[in-house]
Amino acid sequence: MFILRNKENPKKHFFFFILFSGIIFFSLISCKKNENKKSEITEIHFVTFMPDQPKVWDEAIKLFEKEHPQIKIKREFAPHSTTAFHDLLTQKLKNKSADVDVFFMDVIWPAEFAAAGWAEPLDNYINNKEKDKFIESTIDANTYNGKLYGIPLFTDAGLLYYRKDLLEKYNTQPPQTWEELYMIAQKIVKAEKKQKKNIYGFSGQFKQYEGLVCNMMEFILSNGSKIIDETTLTPKITEEPALNAIRFVRDKIIKELSPPGALAYQEQESLDIFLQGKAIFHRNWPYAWEIVNNPARSRIVGKVGITKIPHFNGNKSYSTLGGWQLGLSAFSKKKSEGWKFVEFMTSEKIQKFLAIKAGIPPTRKSLYNDEDIIKKNPHFEQMREVFFSSYPRPATPFYPAISNILQRFFSKAISSSNINIRKEAIFTSEEMKKILKRK
């Protein structure tokens, strides 16, 4: 019996050997395929801010990963403060860190990042026809020495908020000029005071910080002058139109129309005054629109209108450009995949998604005619002209230093009537020239 079984077993053993070998072989092939599939996934490191609407941004990232299954986005959230964000990002880029492939840039950073060699030039990735689809000023802000270093994702610009109910009460239209604003504010303040109601004419950002430069730049531009000539990089603050604009802010806006604490106001403090119904006019960014119409935070819901920043007689209105853009690290080893992410996030599809889901103003011109976006954000129609006439701050790698000098000058110039503004402007201009001459 034993001998007979042994005679039969070789065939059976051979069959099971072939079967078992096949299973192992195909298992190994399958594992190898899975390993290869895993190894094909590219991880893009994205340095970003903590968004106000995290679920919307999460969804946008998921949409990208769905369209590009071989690319995964790993986000690093920077501090909420723009200054702290800048410090974190520049430290990584100085160290040529592999932890950065794509990053957000504030509108005033591209020239600095370009001159330092941190941001990758993007002209080989995007053609002129595509660039022309963006608001012109947003492309200008990302251009340094003729090359493009960032793609604008969403924009910002200064707006004039006003008490629609009060202007209607006193049969007055929104001001077109600063002179009109001054007269309207005086008229309403006096009339309300007779009714035992105390209200201020204007609330803006006049503390010594970057917001002060944004506010003062709007006054100077709207009087036909500039802070710096972009072509020659020559300071222009000593010109008479610039000096007159600064004097107007000191003598009319601060001294006569603003609350006593105006020189200490940033965005939030100036907005709080307006939300409480204590100011007729208020300068701020588009984000404030949602807040002034939020019953949980505002006493003036439904009583507010928006319009472009006024200009001085005989001149044109300008708003300081704000906003954020996406850049590509010059040190990334995954530039091709990084660009796919930048291209996707700044596309018409995603900008429309962000506008509808989060109320974020797009940088693509065509989207301001999009019915779905206007239906969801009717105020975008009024903002369109503002965004399209926005003006970028000087595109120089030394802008942080220039800004610090301007902050000190403007703060000093508008804080006391005893200051000789022309003399201070000449001194400040010389300081700026020394910085701008650096190579």
Side-chain angles (χ1 to χ4, degrees):
M1 292 288 291
F2 180 75
I3 296 172
L4 286 172
R5 278 200 300 270
N6 266 347
K7 284 181 179 178
E8 294 170 2
N9 273 347
K11 290 182 179 179
K12 289 182 180 179
H13 288 173
F14 180 73
F15 171 76
F16 284 118
F17 173 76
I18 294 297
L19 180 64
F20 184 66
S21 297
I23 291 170
I24 292 175
F25 175 76
F26 285 110
S27 296
L28 288 171
I29 292 294
S30 177
C31 288
K32 190 68 178 175
K33 280 184 178 177
N34 286 335
E35 281 178 21
N36 288 341
K37 193 174 180 182
K38 235 179 186 180
S39 66
E40 286 170 8
I41 292 178
T42 302
E43 191 173 71
I44 295 297
H45 291 249
F46 176 34
V47 181
T48 178
F49 48 72
M50 183 65 72
D52 293 329
Q53 303 96 343
K55 290 182 180 178
V56 175
W57 291 92
D58 290 348
E59 193 174 344
I61 300 289
K62 286 176 184 175
L63 287 171
F64 171 77
E65 292 179 339
K66 186 178 180 181
E67 283 195 20
H68 300 83
Q70 298 309 309
I71 304 175
K72 296 297 176 188
I73 304 301
K74 181 179 180 182
R75 285 178 285 177
E76 178 178 353
F77 294 105
H80 190 69
S81 159
T82 303
T83 302
F85 186 159
H86 178 272
D87 291 346
L88 171 77
L89 182 56
T90 53
Q91 189 58 50
K92 285 178 175 289
L93 293 171
K94 283 175 185 175
N95 294 335
K96 302 181 180 180
S97 173
D99 288 339
V100 185
D101 295 303
V102 176
F103 50 81
F104 260 120
M105 287 190 288
D106 191 4
V107 73
I108 57 176
W109 298 352
E112 176 193 1
F113 284 31
W118 300 333
E120 178 76 5
L122 302 176
D123 302 272
N124 290 334
Y125 297 93
I126 182 171
N127 58 39
N128 289 332
K129 185 179 178 181
E130 188 65 20
K131 282 194 276 188
D132 288 343
K133 295 177 182 178
F134 291 85
I135 297 170
E136 186 179 358
S137 59
T138 65
I139 292 295
D140 290 344
N142 283 284
T143 302
Y144 178 69
N145 281 349
K147 292 184 178 180
L148 187 71
Y149 289 91
I151 307 296
L153 176 52
F154 60 91
T155 192
D156 239 351
L159 293 167
L160 182 69
Y161 292 76
Y162 63 90
R163 285 288 299 278
K164 185 170 57 175
D165 59 323
L166 289 176
L167 266 62
E168 289 173 358
K169 179 180 177 180
Y170 293 99
N171 196 28
T172 303
Q173 294 299 313
Q176 296 294 308
T177 68
W178 286 113
E179 293 89 350
E180 287 175 358
L181 181 145
Y182 173 70
M183 290 188 290
I184 293 168
Q186 276 201 320
K187 173 186 172 181
I188 294 176
V189 167
K190 287 176 183 177
E192 290 290 292
K193 195 171 185 179
K194 287 179 182 178
Q195 300 174 41
K196 309 293 183 185
K197 297 175 183 176
N198 291 323
I199 193 167
Y200 298 104
F202 188 87
S203 178
Q205 298 84 50
F206 296 111
K207 185 177 180 176
Q208 185 176 315
Y209 80 119
E210 180 61 25
L212 174 61
V213 178
C214 295
N215 278 246
M216 296 304 296
M217 185 169 141
E218 288 167 350
F219 282 100
I220 290 171
L221 286 168
S222 66
N223 204 30
S225 190
K226 296 179 179 181
I227 290 176
I228 293 174
D229 183 278
E230 294 86 357
T231 306
T232 62
L233 289 181
T234 305
K236 310 292 280 184
I237 56 172
T238 57
E239 292 185 345
E240 203 60 37
L243 296 174
N244 287 337
I246 297 167
R247 291 189 189 104
F248 180 86
V249 174
R250 180 188 67 182
D251 300 337
K252 303 298 184 185
I253 299 295
I254 299 294
K255 190 176 179 181
E256 297 189 34
L257 299 185
S258 298
L263 293 172
Y265 287 177
Q266 296 188 43
E267 278 82 359
Q268 191 57 56
E269 295 84 359
S270 63
L271 178 57
D272 285 342
I273 290 287
F274 192 64
L275 293 174
Q276 293 164 21
K278 294 182 179 179
I280 302 163
F281 298 106
H282 172 56
R283 185 269 178 207
N284 213 319
W285 306 96
Y287 82 93
W289 178 255
E290 187 277 329
I291 299 172
V292 299
N293 288 293
N294 183 345
R297 300 183 63 179
S298 173
R299 296 180 182 178
I300 51 174
V301 174
K303 299 177 180 179
V304 177
I306 51 173
T307 189
K308 61 185 178 182
I309 297 291
H311 56 81
F312 288 95
N313 285 328
N315 289 289
K316 183 182 174 183
S317 294
Y318 287 98
S319 293
T320 302
L321 176 71
W324 289 79
Q325 18 280 311
L326 292 177
L328 197 59
S329 171
F331 313 112
S332 172
K333 300 193 185 309
K334 297 168 273 188
K335 291 187 179 74
S336 176
E337 293 84 357
W339 169 251
K340 286 179 182 177
F341 179 59
V342 171
E343 185 178 39
F344 180 85
M345 293 299 288
T346 58
S347 68
E348 187 172 301
K349 172 184 173 180
I350 295 302
Q351 289 204 22
K352 179 174 179 174
F353 171 82
L354 293 173
I356 291 172
K357 294 278 189 176
I360 293 173
T363 55
R364 288 179 173 269
K365 292 181 285 190
S366 63
L367 293 177
Y368 287 91
N369 298 317
D370 186 283
E371 290 182 3
D372 298 329
I373 291 176
I374 299 303
K375 184 178 179 181
K376 185 70 176 178
N377 303 280
H379 56 291
F380 276 13
E381 271 194 304
Q382 295 163 283
M383 292 181 179
R384 182 182 186 277
E385 185 182 355
V386 174
F387 294 143
F388 283 34
S389 63
S390 57
Y391 204 93
R393 278 158 278 179
T396 165
F398 309 116
Y399 182 77
I402 294 295
S403 177
N404 286 332
I405 292 170
L406 287 169
Q407 288 172 37
R408 292 195 300 271
F409 164 60
F410 287 138
S411 182
K412 191 174 183 180
I414 66 176
S415 63
S416 173
S417 56
N418 297 323
I419 297 293
N420 184 322
I421 293 179
R422 183 185 298 280
K423 184 178 178 180
E424 291 296 330
I426 292 170
F427 176 78
T428 302
S429 182
E430 292 304 314
E431 275 193 291
M432 291 167 68
K433 285 177 184 176
K434 291 175 186 175
I435 302 264
L436 292 166
K437 283 179 182 176
R438 292 178 186 171
K439 298 294 183 185

